[in-house]
Amino acid sequence: MRSSCYRNDDFMGEGFRLKSQRFRGQISQGLILPLSILPQDREYELGEDVTELLGVRKWEIEDKVTSSGTAIGELPHGIPKTDEMRVQSFPELIDEFAGKPYYISTKMDGTSVTMYQMDGNFGVCGRNFEYADDGKCAFWEYAKMLGLPEKLKAATEGKEELFPKNLALQGEFCGGGIQKNRLKLKHPEWYVFTAIDLSTHRRLSLDRMLKICDELGLQHVPIEEQGEAFPYGSVEELLERARGKYPSGMYKEGIVIRPPEPVYSPTLSAPLSMKVLNNDYLLKG
């Protein structure tokens, strides 16, 4: 592992980075270790989470001030991070979807950006931080180019039946300099995938989110498939369904699956949702 996986990064520190690889014709997406690596001073239960005990962390890329603007704090007003759970980690989510209405959207390859209005004030956040409007943040400049602060204020004051007074829109910001720009965009684009009523902290329905995007002139993530009863019954079926390419010809990152009307998930203790990554993207992207 040391020759291929060892990292000593200024942001993440020292350790071994695991990612999807192909060994002897098979896709490897994990590491099996003996129980002896655990501290031997106590007993362990089957299924017990030992992530923190072993010092396992998610590999994350640093939000750089030079490219994203000046961070002024963590995500405000209870705005959630945009982490989708992967079906391989929670296969029981397939059972929670069984028989329910569903839709499948394309997982766009970029960086997560949230734009919100709270008590009449507009703000912009990346995945982890809120950013200042100081002329250095590309997300802020994009929002102002669209006139989004003014549009949101007018909509929340005049179209209350559609727009919550306090609203967060979360989406994927894509373009040059972000990841590898697999969409081959000449100019940055923002694709909305979630709308949240910040007064109740509830996710809005797909239909309402699409109408909000239409009213504001915003793009949303492509909707690939909708149905009245979820037809996929295994991880293998979903991995095959996640394959495909963007219009650019590059492998797409995968898909995200949700009910059109938010449903509580006992597994996630959050709204039911899951992502399926495209193995072609992981191996060749």
Side-chain angles (χ1 to χ4, degrees), residues 104-200:
I104 297 176
S105 62
T106 306
K107 193 173 192 315
M108 308 303 272
D109 188 35
T111 186
S112 174
V113 170
T114 299
M115 302 191 189
Y116 74 89
Q117 178 172 282
M118 185 74 177
D119 297 329
N121 298 312
F122 183 83
V124 171
C125 308
R127 183 177 179 276
N128 297 306
F129 303 107
E130 182 172 15
Y131 290 103
D133 178 16
D134 57 3
K136 300 178 182 179
C137 179
F139 312 149
W140 260 106
E141 298 308 304
Y142 182 86
K144 288 190 284 188
M145 179 193 73
L146 294 180
L148 192 55
E150 296 78 16
K151 288 180 180 179
L152 258 183
K153 185 174 183 180
T156 54
E157 292 177 353
K159 299 180 179 179
E160 296 86 352
E161 71 285 352
L162 178 60
F163 287 84
K165 179 181 178 181
N166 299 312
L167 174 67
L169 297 173
Q170 298 185 304
E172 202 75 6
F173 197 81
C174 306
I178 302 171
Q179 305 290 26
K180 295 182 180 179
N181 191 18
R182 290 178 175 86
L183 295 169
K184 296 184 179 179
L185 298 174
K186 293 182 178 180
H187 306 286
E189 298 288 355
W190 185 50
Y191 300 90
V192 176
F193 53 70
T194 300
I196 300 171
D197 184 338
L198 290 177
S199 297
T200 62

Side-chain angles (χ1 to χ4, degrees), residues 17-275:
R17 183 188 179 189
L18 296 182
K19 59 182 182 179
S20 297
Q21 298 187 51
R22 190 181 292 277
F23 292 104
R24 298 178 182 176
Q26 299 296 318
I27 295 174
S28 171
Q29 294 177 316
L31 177 67
I32 297 176
L33 295 168
L35 287 171
S36 59
I37 68 166
L38 294 169
Q40 299 300 304
D41 56 352
R42 67 180 182 87
E43 296 291 326
Y44 296 92
E45 298 291 333
L46 183 65
E48 182 177 343
D49 189 338
V50 294
T51 304
E52 293 186 10
L53 194 62
L54 294 176
V56 176
R57 297 169 294 153
K58 181 178 179 181
W59 178 271
E60 296 184 296
I61 299 173
E62 181 181 11
D63 278 331
K64 296 184 181 293
V65 170
T66 53
S67 61
S68 298
T70 304
I72 58 175
E74 296 183 352
L75 300 181
H77 312 300
I79 293 173
K81 284 189 179 183
T82 55
D83 284 331
E84 293 287 344
M85 295 299 105
R86 194 168 167 178
V87 68
Q88 289 100 319
S89 300
F90 296 92
E92 58 267 36
L93 291 175
I94 297 174
D95 293 331
E96 291 192 28
F97 269 99
K100 290 183 174 66
Y102 73 99
Y103 72 95
I104 297 176
S105 62
T106 306
K107 193 173 192 315
M108 308 303 272
D109 188 35
T111 186
S112 174
V113 170
T114 299
M115 302 191 189
Y116 74 89
Q117 178 172 282
M118 185 74 177
D119 297 329
N121 298 312
F122 183 83
V124 171
C125 308
R127 183 177 179 276
N128 297 306
F129 303 107
E130 182 172 15
Y131 290 103
D133 178 16
D134 57 3
K136 300 178 182 179
C137 179
F139 312 149
W140 260 106
E141 298 308 304
Y142 182 86
K144 288 190 284 188
M145 179 193 73
L146 294 180
L148 192 55
E150 296 78 16
K151 288 180 180 179
L152 258 183
K153 185 174 183 180
T156 54
E157 292 177 353
K159 299 180 179 179
E160 296 86 352
E161 71 285 352
L162 178 60
F163 287 84
K165 179 181 178 181
N166 299 312
L167 174 67
L169 297 173
Q170 298 185 304
E172 202 75 6
F173 197 81
C174 306
I178 302 171
Q179 305 290 26
K180 295 182 180 179
N181 191 18
R182 290 178 175 86
L183 295 169
K184 296 184 179 179
L185 298 174
K186 293 182 178 180
H187 306 286
E189 298 288 355
W190 185 50
Y191 300 90
V192 176
F193 53 70
T194 300
I196 300 171
D197 184 338
L198 290 177
S199 297
T200 62
H201 299 286
R202 292 183 180 276
R203 182 182 291 174
L204 304 184
S205 69
L206 171 65
D207 182 63
R208 195 170 176 187
M209 184 193 80
L210 296 181
K211 288 179 179 177
I212 287 174
C213 288
D214 186 58
E215 286 281 340
L216 296 175
L218 299 175
Q219 296 190 82
H220 56 78
V221 291
I223 308 300
E224 297 185 10
E225 179 180 331
Q226 286 184 263
E228 291 302 314
F230 189 63
Y232 303 97
S234 69
V235 171
E236 290 70 26
E237 285 181 81
L238 289 170
L239 287 172
E240 184 63 29
R241 177 61 182 81
R243 300 180 69 182
K245 296 182 177 181
Y246 295 122
S248 66
M250 303 288 284
Y251 287 111
K252 69 179 182 182
E253 188 175 358
I255 57 176
V256 175
I257 306 169
R258 291 177 172 177
E261 292 285 342
V263 173
Y264 178 79
S265 165
T267 299
L268 302 176
S269 298
L272 180 59
S273 182
M274 63 182 175
K275 69 181 177 184

Side-chain angles (χ1 to χ4, degrees), residues 271-283:
L272 180 59
S273 182
M274 63 182 175
K275 69 181 177 184
V276 189
L277 297 184
N278 178 4
N279 279 333
D280 294 326
Y281 166 92
L282 293 173
L283 293 170

